[in-house]
């Protein structure tokens, strides 16, 4: 026998929320896959250059970046306005590059160490002397696979 309401009105049936956790976890999983976290905070001025060629990297985790450019405005009082080298989140000197490359190489799996790529992101107005010093330091650290990208100031 069915239930009858004394007032004669029909009640709204309860909303079935049993699939709601599945939907929320699906959305969470989607955003975790799509989102990338910035690993390095830039302290030197660098604008992305116009690309003329494209080289597909097999594993982006094997790329180590070295940034060279003028310090950002908030660091100019302390660091000056000459081009500086940035390794990870800190300013560095050319003499520190070998140790940095060795540390980055040791942090990788042994099978991936031979596929390590060093990417130089250099401002167009940076003097060639500092670039040559960096290249020599990379040669001494046996970082044989080096990508170059430079920018132009607009």
């Amino acid at each position: 026998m069915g239930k009858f309401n004394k007032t004669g009105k029909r009640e709204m049936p309860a909303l079935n929320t049993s699939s709601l956790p599945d939907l929320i976890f699906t959305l969470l999983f989607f955003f975790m896959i799509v989102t990338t976290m910035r690993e390095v905070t830039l302290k030197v001025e660098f604008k992305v250059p116009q690309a003329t060629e494209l080289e597909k990297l097999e594993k982006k985790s094997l790329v180590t970046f070295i940034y060279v450019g003028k310090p950002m405005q908030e660091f100019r009082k302390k660091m000056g306005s000459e081009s500086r080298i940035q390794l990870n989140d800190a300013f560095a000197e050319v003499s520190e590059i070998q140790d940095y490359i060795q540390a980055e190489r040791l942090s990788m799996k042994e099978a991936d160490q031979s596929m390590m790529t060093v990417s130089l992101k250099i401002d167009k107005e940076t003097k060639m002397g500092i670039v040559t010093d960096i290249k020599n330091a990379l040669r001494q650290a046996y970082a044989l696979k080096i990508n170059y990208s430079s920018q132009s100031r607009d």
Side-chain angles (χ1 to χ4, degrees), residues 12-92:
M12 179 70 111
L15 183 62
N16 185 3
T17 60
S18 62
S19 63
L20 191 59
D22 293 336
L23 291 172
I24 290 175
F25 283 118
T26 303
L27 283 172
L28 179 65
F29 185 70
F30 171 77
F31 286 114
M32 286 174 54
I33 295 296
V34 173
T35 305
T36 58
M37 300 300 287
R38 178 172 283 203
E39 295 177 11
V40 176
T41 303
L42 287 178
K43 294 184 178 183
V44 295
E45 291 178 355
F46 182 82
K47 293 180 185 174
V48 180
Q50 295 288 331
T52 56
E53 294 182 23
L54 181 65
E55 181 179 332
K56 177 89 171 154
L57 296 174
E58 295 299 321
K59 290 186 176 180
K60 291 182 182 179
S61 63
L62 299 178
V63 179
T64 302
F65 293 97
I66 297 177
Y67 301 95
V68 182
K70 292 182 179 180
M72 295 282 193
Q73 194 65 37
E74 61 264 20
F75 299 109
R76 285 199 181 151
K77 288 182 181 176
K78 182 178 178 184
M79 302 302 294
S81 61
E82 289 294 316
S83 293
R84 297 288 179 181
I85 300 170
Q86 180 181 341
L87 306 175
N88 283 338
D89 284 334
F91 289 106

Side-chain angles (χ1 to χ4, degrees), residues 55-150:
E55 181 179 332
K56 177 89 171 154
L57 296 174
E58 295 299 321
K59 290 186 176 180
K60 291 182 182 179
S61 63
L62 299 178
V63 179
T64 302
F65 293 97
I66 297 177
Y67 301 95
V68 182
K70 292 182 179 180
M72 295 282 193
Q73 194 65 37
E74 61 264 20
F75 299 109
R76 285 199 181 151
K77 288 182 181 176
K78 182 178 178 184
M79 302 302 294
S81 61
E82 289 294 316
S83 293
R84 297 288 179 181
I85 300 170
Q86 180 181 341
L87 306 175
N88 283 338
D89 284 334
F91 289 106
E93 297 296 325
V94 176
S95 60
E96 299 174 41
I97 291 177
Q98 290 181 26
D99 295 334
Y100 171 72
I101 295 297
Q102 293 298 331
E104 289 291 315
R105 188 176 284 142
L106 291 175
S107 69
M108 295 178 182
K109 296 178 185 173
E110 192 171 333
D112 293 338
Q113 289 179 359
S114 63
M115 298 187 323
M116 178 181 168
T117 301
V118 178
S119 180
L120 299 177
K121 297 205 174 199
I122 302 170
D123 187 63
K124 182 179 180 180
E125 295 183 10
T126 299
K127 294 182 180 176
M128 193 61 193
I130 193 167
V131 177
T132 303
D133 293 343
I134 292 170
K135 287 169 52 177
N136 287 334
L138 290 172
R139 283 187 191 107
Q140 291 174 355
Y142 300 108
L144 303 176
K145 193 172 184 181
I146 305 169
N147 288 331
Y148 301 98
S149 63
S150 62

